[in-house]
Amino acid sequence: MRPSTFRGLAALLLAGSLLAACGDRPKSKAEGDDHAAAAADFERGPHRGRLLRDGDFAVEITIFEDGAPPEFHAYVYRKDKPIDPRQVQLSVELTRLGGKVDRFAFAPVEDYLRGAGVVVEPHSFDVKIRAVEGGRTHQWAYASYEGRTSISAEAAKAGGVRTEIAGPATISELVDMAGRVEIVPEGMAEVRAVYPGRILMMRGELGQSVRKGQAMARVESSHSLQAYAITAPISGVITEKNANVGGVAGDQPLFVVADPTKLHAEFFVYPRDAERVRVGQPVEVRSLSGEARLTARVEAILPTADLASQTLMAHVHLPPGAATSFRPGMGVEGSFSVGAQSAPLAVRTKALQRFRDFTVVFAKVGNTYEVRMLELGRQTPEWTEVLGGLAPGTEYVVDGAFLIRADIEKSGASHDH
């Protein structure tokens, strides 16, 4: 991890410790100064739900999610004894981060009241409950947050947090292939004697850089006994030296010079993919470690197949700057974009994080961040299609998402009802 990342993480976690860990508004004394503590401190009923009292009347609120979509179950009591749920009219209002309000009516089922509708994830909201029984009205309000934290804009910036707006994206259909980096044919040249003869001088060692036109050897012609100079046909690096002074220059090249900036990647295309790979398609080229990567295009597909493997060879042009990370002979991986489809809603793949048993992103509203549990579709290294769990137009964290997760986990914003 870079030093700047450590500094950002320290600033972010420091800010998280100074701010309310689980909310975007001040809490009353009854709600508690720390939600993690409040979640553990509220009174629980016989069904392990939150028990709300008003005089001798009480309502126990639970979210039932055992093998079924989450739904409210409520149990009603007088003087701590269960009463007939048909005697009570109950409603619940949930205000979520961003202002969306979910309302639930209840109907009696056996010995409890069942909420109409699914309590969608995350279970993080401000709750208002209204119960009417025996001509009396009872009301409660409390905060029940999970996967939420508040961080100042300054701390988020110091931590490298960056956001985008969720919306449509073009998702490529990718085919992965293995290959290697090679110097293009025009990037290599042999330094040969024009006429055979005795070598009088050689200038250059393996690995040494030479310029085009630079004298590299002098040879005395066996026919005319005249000495002549041999120059470098291209600029590059000496990769082979096959003779010495005093030897005889003949058919074998004296030197081989290669330009390490003129590179392409050669990929082995199997028959099942041959019909889908085309010249001009974009390819993400990656080193085997994954640390170096760039996007290039298919420049040629050789028409003949290898007899042993039955693979074709696809050449992908690498720009001159690739030489800083990719060297001739290196193994590489390539993701070929063989097709593309539009996704109505997608997020950056690097934004995805794990929270409990869900894949999530972190939505941002003001200075507050909260998990959004996602239903996912197609995925590429750049984009992931979202089928549910996130509203179009939501601002979400792209860079620094793991810092947000660390702050939420530190705050103890748990899944507790």
Side-chain angles (χ1 to χ4, degrees), residues 24 60 65 116 143 146 166 187 192 216 236 246-247 277 286 289 329 366 370:
D24 59 343
E60 181 184 1
E65 48 188 334
E146 72 161 336
R192 292 178 176 272
M216 300 187 67
V277 176
R286 304 179 298 275
S289 67
E370 187 177 81

Side-chain angles (χ1 to χ4, degrees), residues 107-169:
V109 176
E110 298 177 351
D111 64 341
Y112 64 92
L113 291 158
R114 179 185 183 188
V118 174
V119 186
V120 299
E121 298 278 6
H123 295 167
S124 182
F125 22 64
D126 293 302
V127 184
K128 291 182 179 180
I129 297 177
R130 183 175 185 270
V132 178
E133 56 82 34
R136 294 180 294 271
T137 300
H138 310 271
Q139 297 187 84
W140 299 269
Y142 58 90
S144 179
Y145 301 153
E146 72 161 336
R148 181 187 292 195
T149 190
S150 292
I151 302 171
S152 70
E154 295 77 12
K157 182 178 180 181
V161 176
R162 188 178 67 84
T163 61
E164 289 185 7
I165 303 299

Side-chain angles (χ1 to χ4, degrees), residues 239-253:
T239 58
E240 290 185 27
K241 182 179 179 181
N242 300 313
N244 290 298
V245 173
V248 177
D251 295 334
Q252 187 176 21

Side-chain angles (χ1 to χ4, degrees), residues 312-350:
L312 298 175
M313 189 70 73
H315 288 181
V316 175
H317 172 74
L318 302 182
T324 58
S325 302
F326 296 91
R327 302 296 179 88
M330 284 180 55
V332 290
E333 297 172 333
S335 293
F336 286 64
S337 179
V338 299
Q341 294 181 341
S342 177
L345 183 61
V347 295
R348 299 279 183 183
T349 299
K350 65 180 179 179

